[in-house]
Amino acid sequence: SDSNQNASKSNNPVGARTLLENGKEDKDCVDFATQIEAQSFFEANGGPSSDPHSLDRDGDGRVCETLP
């Protein structure tokens, strides 16, 4: 049943939000309405040198590229 192992990773209910080491709520791309909003948050919170929210998974400096 290897096909079910990845399902639990992508299903992250809102109530099960992860906290960062500093105690702040972990943000994900779904928390932002637009790419620009996510990018502004990313840059204001340490990116690209620090990305505690893992918004820039491909490391190119642009976050949440699938958002409008």
Side-chain angles (χ1 to χ4, degrees):
S1 64
D2 287 346
S3 60
N4 290 336
Q5 284 183 329
N6 291 334
S8 62
K9 292 179 185 173
S10 60
N11 296 335
N12 186 13
V14 176
R17 176 83 47 195
T18 331
L19 294 180
L20 299 176
E21 288 180 17
N22 61 9
K24 290 187 178 178
E25 206 175 78
D26 182 26
K27 296 282 189 187
D28 299 310
C29 289
V30 296
D31 296 316
F32 304 100
T34 64
Q35 191 278 329
I36 293 170
E37 181 185 353
Q39 188 74 36
S40 295
F41 175 86
F42 170 69
E43 292 173 7
N45 286 275
S49 60
S50 171
D51 184 16
H53 296 273
S54 297
L55 295 174
D56 184 17
R57 300 205 171 180
D58 62 3
D60 70 351
R62 285 184 48 84
V63 301
C64 305
E65 292 159 285
T66 57
L67 289 176

